[in-house]
Structure formats: structure tokens, C-alpha cells
Amino acid sequence: MAGAIIENMSTKKLVIVGVILLLFQAFAFMVGGLIAPSPATAVHYLATKCVDTVKKPQQTKWFMPWGPNQCDNIQSFDEAMAKGIEANNIVFAVHIPLPNKEMSPWFQFMLFILQFDIAFKMYNQIADGALVHIDVGLAYRDDMNSEWTEMAHSLEQRKLSCNFTATKTHENEGRHYECDLLPFMEVGSVAHKYYLLNIRLPVNERKKINVGIAEIRDIRLVGIHQNGGFTKVWFAMKTVLTPSILIIMIWYWRRITLMSRPPVLLEKVILALGISMTFINIPVEWFSVGFNWTWMLLFGDIRQGIFYSMLLSFWIIFCGEHLMDQTERNRFSIYWKQVGPIVFGSFCLFIFDMCERGVQLKNPFYSIWASDIGTELAMAFIIVAGICACLYFLFLCFMVFQVFRNISGKRMSLPAMSKARQLHYEGLIFRFKFLMLVTLACAALTVIFFIISQVNEGHWHRGEHMVQVNSAFFTGIYGMWNLYVFAIMFLYAPSHKHYGDEQSSIQCITGDAGVNSCEDIQPTTTITHVDGPTEIYKMIGQEAQE
């Protein structure tokens, strides 16, 4: 029976494979650092104050802030008061994008953050817990001459969180509050060239609607969208990597099925890891360029969550299978205490995503961050997820330490062996330990990437739009996942080398007198009822059993 490639391939060839993978990893970072632009761009918009003179319109009227059909507008609310224009007749209009520009499907998504410019007045101050009621509509069109088509309309509430840093005196009237940015809108696709937002702040003193919000002078928006150049680089990487992982996965499983024994749990989990990597690689995002699929953001999160679950579970099983004896290993039920929390955490991530992006499929203005309870829950979720990720990595380090300790215990018996057997086992142990250290490095970068991604998303929704991660980090981590999965399937595939009916090899060493001596280095620890992909796997299984 042949062993795995990781133990049968010559050291020279393994070094060549390692160098090639390292060069590809460097190339993945360079693609993001030198070719792709930053992942996202923030664009600032100032709403134009349009005047709606129609008391009871028969159909929805859209107000353009500029262009040939520009609305009647005012510069300030003082001008509105002088002309006798009521607050209910003022519409804040924002055209997306800015003049002489177009939106593109390559932008993938639009996320908008809202900021009010509120002036301090002694007789009209912001009340505690003040809520702003917003009547907002979103429309689109694909050329400058066609009519606007309504895309969404909603009545929303946003709680003001403002602070006036100066002394509240008559001398400081007119100075602006310092208000937190508010989540406003998120659209999962950018299928049209032009978008228009019409925002109203209806006032009804009897129903206490928009009362106690002081004097709102302007509305500013910050629009965040993915850079088209980054999207093209990202799609190209997915397109190239998908067949690579798919081919190595088919090749790996074909070699497993050709063996006389049934596949063990570790080999099945490696296949599952390859399937999950292929699932996240498949570039279905290409369809979002031609179709208005607003659910692509949610689908992308689901794919990434499945991959996270499979990758974290694989590392647990990979270490665990090298810790247990033959009677305990090769049973998935043994790992329910470790894999169960991973699956539960992934399910919680899915529920959290459905609570926001799932609802946004119908109402793009909905945000779980809009309320105090929602914000606290979201922040607590991000913090707990980060802590759990760190605890997972520490637990994985502990498992790797246990594996190394088991190997060290077996290593103490090597001096009693012949020189040839010592060299053979030393080589196997070094290769396995090196792979485990690479696994730890991959796990560390994955945890860091997960935490930064969650924190960045929280910052965006809370208005801290300037937080960005370099494109090289995204492309580098994504390339690292693919290279790691590729390496695992390649190294743990059964080798084509056979050393007779039993797994053995002949190694020659040169003695002190210059005489060559050769001997069979068939591992003496191998027993007939211990099956597995590598000699280290079998050796540890027998050692634990003994």
C-alpha cells in the first residue's frame, strides 16, 4: 500500500513545490497591492433643498437637484421662512452619482450613511432621545432623458445622538451640534446608471413627529461602494482559482477511491474542505454584472460562512486525528464538542445576516444599527465573535502542542533504531511539524482577517467610513486559503510509489570505513489494523493505543 505524497516525495521535490506555492502566495499579495485599487470608495453628497409646491400630488413627483429639470430650490431655511415655505414642502434631493458620472454594476453594492447639520437655538434645542422621522424614496433610470422609476419607498426613524461642545448661550446660537453619523441605506447591486433620493422630514406637532430635533439646516450623505477595478481583479482571481481547486480535488478523490481500503475520516474531511473552497470560488458574481441580483451580498456571506465552518472544523479534526488512538479516531461523533460550537456560531452569523441583509432585500433603508437595542446587539455580536475567534485559535494552538508532545514521546525511541530508520522517521516528523506550523500561521491570518472584516463592517454602519483595508490583504488571504487547500489535498493524496506488498523502502548509508550498507526501513510501528493516509498518522494512533 502506498503512503501519502508528503512522506514519499523526495525532499528536493517538496522544496520545489513549497517554493512554487510561496511564489504564488507572494503573487496573490502583489495582485492586490500593485494592480487592484482600494476595495471601496467613499463619496460625499450634500442634499439640495427643493420646494414642493403641489399640495396633494396625484402621482409621485421626483425632484432633481441639478440638470435641465432642476427643481425650485432654496439655499437656507431662513429663505424658506421669508418666502412662507413650510417644512413639509421641502424635499432634500440627492442624485447618485455626482454630475457627469455614472454608476456601474462593477460597484457591486451601495451603502449610505446619513449626517444632519443641526444648528443650536436657545428656544429650539434637541430633546433627549429625539427621533427623526424620515419619508424617503429611491428611484432609478439608465439615461438622462427617461422618467424616474421608483425602486423603494419607506418611512424610517433614526435616533439623534448629538453633542454641543460650546456653552449653550445666545452668543453661540447658529453653531452646529456634533452629531453621530447614522446608517441610512444599503443596496446589494448597482444595476442602473443613475439613482435619485428624495428625503422629506414631515412635521406634525399634534403627533409629536419631528418635534424636538432642533433646526436641521442640511443633510449630508456618505456613499460607499466597491471599486470597479478591485471587483475586476477579484472576479479574475476567482475565475482562475476555481478550475485549479476543482481539478486537484477530483484528482485527489480519484486516488483515494483507487485504494484497497475505504477512506478514513481525515481523507473525507479534506474532500469536504475542497468542496467548500470550490463553492466559495465559483465566480457566480459575474452574473451580477448583467442581472439585478440584490441578493448577491447575502449569498456571498452564506458561502463565506460555510467555508469558515468547514475550515475551522477541518483544523480541529486534523489535529484530533493525530491525537487519538485507533479505537477512537475515524468517528465524526467524537468531535461534536469541538465542531458543535463552530456550527452554532456559524448559524448565529447566518441569523444575524438574515436580520439585516435579508430584510434589506425588501427595504434597503432598514438597518439593525438604527435603534439603540439593535446597535448594542450588533456590537455585542461583533465583540463576542472576535473573542470566540481568538479563543478558537488558542485552543488550536493547544491541540497542536499536544500533537507535538505526542510526537516527541515517540521520538525518544528513535536512538534505539538503526541510523537508516532514525533518518527516515526524523524526515517524516520534520515534514509533519512544518505542515502543522503552516496550519497555525494560516489559522492566525484567518482569525485576523475575520476580526478585521467584522470590525470594518461595524465601523461602516456606525459611520466611521474612513476605515479601510488594503486590497493586498484581501487578495493575499484569499490566495492563501486556496493555496493551503491545494497543498493539503496534494500532500495527503496517496503516492504512486509502491515498495512491494508492504509499505517499505530501502535506504543506504555510508559507514565510517566508507562501506555502504543498506537495510529495509519499513516502520516497525505499523500494524495491520491501523489504516491511514500517512505513517505519522499510523504511528501516533498505535502509540496512543499502546
Side-chain angles (χ1 to χ4, degrees):
M1 180 183 63
I5 291 177
I6 189 175
E7 61 186 13
N8 285 338
M9 180 176 279
S10 67
T11 302
K12 180 181 178 180
K13 291 181 180 179
L14 274 180
V15 170
I16 293 175
V17 171
V19 170
I20 292 175
L21 293 177
L22 189 60
L23 290 175
F24 274 111
Q25 180 64 75
F27 179 73
F29 278 106
M30 291 172 62
V31 165
L34 302 178
I35 300 177
S38 59
T41 295
V43 182
H44 296 260
Y45 299 90
L46 175 63
T48 299
K49 292 179 279 291
C50 297
V51 179
D52 183 7
T53 56
V54 181
K55 298 297 182 181
K56 293 183 179 180
Q58 298 299 317
Q59 59 182 3
T60 303
K61 180 180 179 181
W62 296 98
F63 295 86
M64 269 288 292
W66 46 262
N69 299 320
Q70 181 178 0
C71 64
D72 297 329
N73 60 76
I74 56 176
Q75 299 300 316
S76 65
F77 280 92
D78 293 334
E79 180 183 346
M81 294 179 63
K83 295 182 178 180
I85 300 173
E86 297 181 356
N88 288 329
N89 297 119
I90 296 177
V91 180
F92 294 87
V94 177
H95 186 276
I96 307 165
L98 296 173
N100 301 320
K101 295 183 181 295
E102 293 182 358
M103 300 300 285
S104 168
W106 294 102
F107 293 164
Q108 292 294 288
F109 69 89
M110 295 188 299
L111 187 150
F112 281 86
I113 298 165
L114 177 68
Q115 183 180 26
F116 292 110
D117 287 349
I118 304 177
F120 169 73
K121 295 288 185 179
M122 286 293 294
Y123 65 89
N124 185 13
Q125 300 185 25
I126 297 179
D128 293 337
L131 287 176
V132 179
H133 294 73
I134 305 172
D135 183 351
V136 57
L138 175 66
Y140 68 87
R141 66 183 181 183
D142 290 307
D143 61 78
M144 295 300 294
N145 299 319
S146 62
E147 295 294 325
W148 290 100
T149 302
E150 182 175 293
M151 181 176 173
H153 182 269
S154 180
L155 298 174
E156 296 293 325
Q157 295 181 359
R158 296 294 186 267
K159 184 178 181 180
L160 290 178
S161 179
C162 301
N163 182 33
F164 191 68
T165 55
T167 306
K168 293 183 178 181
T169 60
H170 289 283
E171 290 75 14
N172 290 322
E173 283 192 348
R175 297 182 63 174
H176 285 185
Y177 287 88
E178 292 183 1
C179 297
D180 292 343
L181 302 179
L182 304 171
F184 184 61
M185 179 183 75
E186 185 171 11
V187 180
S189 67
V190 189
H192 306 285
K193 294 181 179 180
Y194 308 105
Y195 293 87
L196 180 65
L197 280 169
N198 280 182
I199 304 171
R200 298 173 184 264
L201 303 177
V203 177
N204 189 322
E205 294 186 1
R206 183 175 59 85
K207 296 182 179 180
K208 302 296 181 181
I209 295 177
N210 285 334
V211 176
I213 59 174
E215 185 178 308
I216 297 178
R217 292 190 171 179
D218 279 306
I219 292 180
R220 301 178 186 272
L221 293 175
V222 179
I224 301 172
H225 61 78
Q226 190 165 293
N227 273 326
F230 176 81
T231 304
K232 293 175 182 178
V233 171
W234 191 253
F235 286 9
M237 285 190 66
K238 281 176 167 282
T239 305
V240 171
L241 291 171
T242 298
S244 304
I245 297 298
L246 185 61
I247 291 171
I248 191 70
M249 181 178 66
I250 296 173
W251 172 83
Y252 164 79
W253 193 245
R254 180 177 177 276
R255 287 208 166 194
I256 294 295
T257 54
L258 290 176
M259 300 182 68
S260 58
R261 62 169 176 83
V264 297
L265 175 62
L266 181 57
E267 293 166 335
K268 295 177 182 177
V269 174
I270 292 175
L271 175 67
L273 180 64
I275 294 174
S276 66
M277 190 75 256
T278 304
F279 183 56
I280 197 176
N281 277 345
I282 297 175
V284 293
E285 290 87 352
W286 283 109
F287 292 103
S288 66
V289 178
F291 299 92
N292 185 19
W293 288 353
T294 57
W295 46 267
M296 282 303 297
L297 278 180
L298 179 62
F299 182 62
D301 289 344
I302 292 174
R303 289 200 298 171
Q304 189 160 356
I306 292 174
F307 175 72
Y308 273 138
S309 300
M310 193 61 246
L311 185 62
L312 300 183
S313 300
F314 166 74
W315 285 330
I316 293 294
I317 296 173
F318 182 57
C319 293
E321 288 295 279
H322 289 90
L323 286 173
M324 298 180 182
D325 61 31
Q326 189 62 18
T327 59
E328 293 181 340
R329 61 164 46 150
N330 205 23
R331 289 190 296 165
F332 184 76
S333 58
I334 294 295
Y335 298 98
W336 72 269
K337 291 183 179 179
Q338 294 84 9
V339 177
I342 296 175
V343 175
F344 177 76
S346 300
F347 180 74
C348 291
L349 280 172
F350 172 73
I351 296 298
F352 177 77
D353 225 27
M354 288 297 296
C355 288
E356 183 164 39
R357 285 183 173 159
V359 178
Q360 286 172 349
L361 295 177
K362 292 292 184 181
N363 178 17
F365 302 102
Y366 172 82
S367 176
I368 196 173
W369 300 83
S371 64
D372 288 341
I373 296 178
T375 300
E376 291 173 0
L377 286 175
M379 285 302 301
F381 191 85
I382 291 174
I383 293 172
V384 170
I387 293 174
C388 291
C390 293
L391 292 176
Y392 169 85
F393 179 70
L394 293 176
F395 178 70
L396 185 64
C397 290
F398 174 70
M399 292 191 71
V400 171
F401 169 75
Q402 285 187 309
V403 172
F404 282 6
R405 187 179 60 181
N406 280 7
I407 293 177
S408 298
K410 185 63 180 176
R411 198 172 186 175
M412 296 180 65
S413 62
L414 294 184
M417 299 180 183
S418 64
K419 188 65 175 179
R421 286 199 176 97
Q422 286 185 40
L423 292 175
H424 177 70
Y425 275 111
E426 288 285 356
L428 295 183
I429 290 173
F430 174 80
R431 292 180 182 189
F432 179 75
K433 283 190 172 183
F434 184 79
L435 180 61
M436 294 299 290
L437 292 177
V438 171
T439 296
L440 274 184
C442 183
L445 290 174
T446 300
V447 169
I448 293 172
F449 178 79
F450 173 77
I451 294 175
I452 290 179
S453 299
Q454 295 297 314
V455 170
N456 267 0
E457 186 171 348
H459 282 189
W460 277 0
H461 283 91
R462 290 189 299 152
E464 300 172 24
H465 53 272
M466 295 308 294
V467 178
Q468 290 187 1
V469 178
N470 191 280
S471 299
F473 191 60
F474 283 99
T475 58
I477 295 298
Y478 180 64
M480 179 195 69
W481 288 339
N482 279 273
L483 292 173
Y484 178 80
V485 174
F486 184 96
I488 287 293
M489 288 192 290
F490 174 75
L491 295 175
Y492 270 76
S495 174
H496 68 280
K497 294 182 180 180
H498 292 266
Y499 306 110
D501 295 333
E502 297 180 2
Q503 188 174 351
S504 60
S505 62
I506 304 296
Q507 180 167 327
C508 300
I509 59 174
T510 302
D512 295 336
V515 179
N516 291 334
S517 62
C518 302
E519 65 173 304
D520 183 4
I521 59 167
Q522 178 182 343
T524 57
T525 58
T526 304
I527 52 180
T528 57
H529 61 281
V530 178
D531 285 327
T534 64
E535 286 301 320
I536 295 294
Y537 177 92
K538 301 173 187 177
M539 180 181 70
I540 295 176
Q542 186 197 10
E543 181 72 11
Q545 186 167 322
E546 291 176 350

